Amino acid sequence: MMGPLQEAQPALFYEFSLEDYVPQNHLLRSIDRFVDLSGIRTYLADFYSHTGRPSVDPELLIRMLLVGYCFGIRSERRLCEEVHLNLAYRWFCRLDLSDRVPDHSTFSKNRHGRFRDSELLRHLFETTVARCIEEGLVSGQRMAIDASLIEADANKQNSTPKEEWDASTVDPMDAPRAVREYLDILDEAAFGAASEVKPKFTSHSDPASQWTAARKGTAFFSYSDNYLIDTDHGVIVDVEATRSIRQAEVGSTKTMLKRVKEKFDLHPERLIADTAYASGPMLGWLVDRKIAPHIPVFDKSGRSDGTWSRADYEWDAENDQYICPEGQVLKQFRRNYSDPNRGPTGQGRTKFRALKLTCQACPSKAKCCPNADARSITREDHEDARQVARDIAKTKQYDISMKLRKKVEMLFAHLKRILGLGRLRLRGPYGANDEFLLAATAQNLRKLAKIFPAPQQTRKA
């Protein structure tokens, strides 16, 4: 028997509670237990006027942004539509059925104003990290660092070759916001001061982005998202936006390690990274601060022709010299030379030489320098730190560290595949930084929700 026609008959009164209609196992229920925005109004008090029309509650805006980044809804216009329709989103944002959702333009005005001036998103991220530490997810003993390319909101059609681009000709008064931000960061180590080499192309819409072909495919404009994580549970303890070049990415390591030391008193006993972070100055900086570099060192000193390599020579640090297997000495200087080529190169390396007469009379010359009159060895300025990294690479702990390094790579995969941050929507270095901070906050909250899910409550019959 066919049922009767279903007709909507509006009732005069409704008894409705959002609490009853949000599933107990919903992700937002678990996340909500770790979102503490009680101090946000006090934090922003100095950035609001004491008179005028009341503004939209900043806690509501932050909760909506967290919903967007936790579920990959990065368009603020679409986010407002989803919060308007989704009961769980309304419940998390503390909105009743009759409450109006803010307009999408409200986010832009606050993001470029109060949120950025007060560094609210950095404060929100650090609050989440502090909660992870409080819950015992961060020990601070072992940390890993890595960077991932995120495509910028720019394209080659709207760009200029480096021969035609001159930043001094840009008028800041008439330039768009992203261009003004580019002019502001020309002297910062993470951007303009990271390298003197100019990119092949400069985007008109986002000149701070880097033209790169690092993925071995089609070149594109991008920013680098740098993560410093604690390997115990893969919690992101710091995040930094930089240019997509190695110097800027490696330099951000120092910035983030100093920041977590000042903010959370975290000082790792080891740092895990790939060969991009194995430069001599970086290794020396880590060793000087008692941080063990679990980093593979790319070494070119080995030889394939059967002759002795640098590893066969003993380093005498006390006398600043090498000793060959035959017991002869290789020194940097034996007397003062007027020839500048015999002095320091100024390129971060030093050359040590044996005496020509000694090598010519040596019975092992065929194994040492068959094609040269005398043997010479080049030593990097931070060779001691490199040797520390090489010695660590022979331990079992190093093998464990190389497996733990995959955790930061998994976070980047989650960032792009699940949260949908494969391409930036906001422009400029500040826009990239805002997106990276919100995404890292969402990832930490999802981590907390996964490890400590909300307790299930049985409904009363």
Side-chain angles (χ1 to χ4, degrees):
M1 178 179 175
M2 185 179 295
L5 177 64
Q6 186 71 32
E7 295 183 359
Q9 296 181 356
L12 295 177
F13 302 100
Y14 286 96
E15 183 178 349
F16 186 89
S17 173
L18 282 175
E19 183 69 30
D20 297 335
Y21 283 85
V22 178
Q24 294 295 321
N25 60 351
H26 198 283
L27 176 63
L28 285 179
R29 280 195 178 274
S30 298
I31 289 178
D32 185 63
R33 298 162 55 237
F34 302 104
V35 177
D36 182 12
L37 302 178
S38 58
I40 192 174
R41 300 181 70 86
T42 303
Y43 184 84
L44 291 174
D46 295 337
F47 296 88
Y48 282 89
S49 173
H50 298 289
T51 60
R53 185 178 64 179
S55 66
V56 177
D57 186 3
E59 180 177 344
L60 170 59
L61 297 178
I62 293 299
R63 284 184 174 273
M64 289 181 65
L65 287 173
L66 289 177
V67 167
Y69 277 82
C70 282
F71 292 94
I73 310 171
R74 293 171 46 245
S75 167
E76 291 159 359
R77 187 185 296 270
R78 181 176 163 232
L79 176 61
C80 293
E81 296 174 355
E82 292 291 335
V83 172
H84 176 71
L85 296 173
N86 193 297
L87 297 181
Y89 296 172
R90 279 185 170 270
W91 173 86
F92 181 80
C93 295
R94 308 295 191 263
L95 291 173
D96 202 356
L97 284 179
S98 58
D99 292 334
R100 182 185 176 189
V101 178
D103 188 77
H104 63 88
S105 62
T106 307
F107 290 96
S108 179
K109 293 182 70 67
N110 282 273
R111 181 176 63 247
H112 295 304
R114 303 182 185 97
F115 290 179
R116 207 162 276 176
D117 295 339
S118 63
E119 295 188 347
L120 176 65
L121 300 182
R122 167 70 58 180
H123 171 74
L124 176 67
F125 168 75
E126 292 177 346
T127 301
T128 307
V129 175
R131 184 60 185 269
C132 292
I133 297 174
E134 180 183 341
E135 297 293 338
L137 301 185
V138 177
S139 67
Q141 298 301 309
R142 299 178 297 191
M143 292 187 182
I145 183 80
D146 204 355
S148 182
L149 299 181
I150 306 296
E151 189 174 351
D153 186 22
N155 57 70
K156 185 180 178 181
Q157 285 72 26
N158 189 26
S159 65
T160 297
K162 62 180 180 181
E163 297 83 6
E164 303 175 12
W165 176 264
D166 186 2
S168 62
T169 62
V170 179
D171 185 4
M173 302 302 295
D174 297 332
R177 180 183 290 108
V179 178
R180 295 199 301 269
E181 293 178 6
Y182 161 76
L183 297 175
D184 291 340
I185 52 87
L186 285 176
D187 296 328
E188 291 189 9
F191 289 96
S195 173
E196 296 180 356
V197 179
K198 294 183 179 180
K200 187 175 181 180
F201 294 97
T202 300
S203 170
H204 296 165
S205 59
D206 193 354
S209 60
Q210 178 74 26
W211 178 258
T212 178
R215 291 179 180 170
K216 307 301 181 182
T218 304
F220 58 96
F221 289 104
S222 71
Y223 286 92
S224 283
D225 188 6
N226 299 270
Y227 275 1
L228 178 66
I229 73 164
D230 184 273
T231 59
D232 288 357
H233 292 88
V235 173
I236 305 167
V237 294
D238 206 352
V239 57
E240 183 80 1
T242 65
R243 285 178 65 185
S244 297
I245 57 174
R246 181 173 298 181
Q247 298 93 318
E249 295 170 356
V250 174
S252 69
T253 306
K254 301 178 182 180
T255 301
M256 291 189 285
L257 285 173
K258 290 178 182 178
R259 194 154 50 201
V260 296
K261 174 63 177 177
E262 296 173 359
K263 188 67 181 181
F264 307 110
D265 195 26
L266 296 178
H267 186 76
E269 66 176 19
R270 74 179 70 168
L271 182 71
I272 307 168
D274 57 26
T275 53
Y277 299 82
S279 64
M282 185 73 249
L283 294 174
W285 188 87
L286 292 173
V287 171
D288 289 344
R289 285 155 181 78
K290 310 300 181 184
I291 301 175
H294 285 235
I295 304 173
V297 178
F298 189 69
D299 194 354
K300 293 184 179 181
S301 64
R303 293 190 172 189
S304 58
D305 58 359
T307 58
W308 290 336
S309 65
R310 185 173 59 188
D312 296 315
Y313 292 76
E314 181 184 352
W315 170 245
D316 183 2
E318 183 178 353
N319 297 311
D320 190 28
Q321 62 186 15
Y322 275 101
I323 300 176
C324 77
E326 292 289 347
Q328 300 299 326
V329 174
L330 288 79
K331 292 186 176 182
Q332 180 183 4
F333 302 111
R334 298 179 185 275
R335 59 186 176 87
N336 294 327
Y337 290 93
S338 59
D339 185 359
N341 294 327
R342 301 300 296 268
T345 63
Q347 299 177 352
R349 64 180 72 94
T350 307
K351 183 169 286 189
F352 294 81
R353 301 174 178 85
L355 289 173
K356 179 179 178 180
L357 294 177
T358 302
C359 287
Q360 293 294 334
C362 180
S364 301
K365 186 177 185 301
K367 295 181 179 180
C368 180
C369 52
N371 301 322
D373 294 335
R375 181 62 188 261
S376 64
I377 295 178
T378 301
R379 181 179 177 84
E380 305 289 338
D381 286 353
H382 297 276
E383 189 62 28
D384 291 337
R386 291 176 183 271
Q387 190 58 44
V388 170
R390 293 191 192 100
D391 294 339
I392 292 175
K394 301 175 184 178
T395 64
K396 292 183 179 180
Q397 291 297 324
Y398 176 83
D399 296 333
I400 297 174
S401 295
M402 291 300 100
K403 296 178 181 179
L404 292 175
R405 189 174 67 84
K406 296 179 181 178
K407 289 190 175 184
V408 66
E409 297 175 353
M410 293 169 61
L411 283 169
F412 285 131
H414 180 271
L415 175 73
K416 296 177 181 180
R417 294 181 178 229
I418 307 301
L419 302 189
L421 192 62
R423 179 185 173 96
L424 293 172
R425 194 181 60 82
L426 304 181
R427 291 175 177 172
Y430 299 137
N433 189 60
D434 289 350
E435 292 217 57
F436 294 161
L437 283 170
L438 281 169
T441 302
Q443 287 183 289
N444 281 345
L445 287 173
R446 289 176 65 110
K447 179 76 66 176
L448 285 165
K450 180 180 179 180
I451 298 176
F452 304 108
Q456 300 297 308
Q457 300 178 359
T458 58
R459 289 189 177 184
K460 297 181 181 179

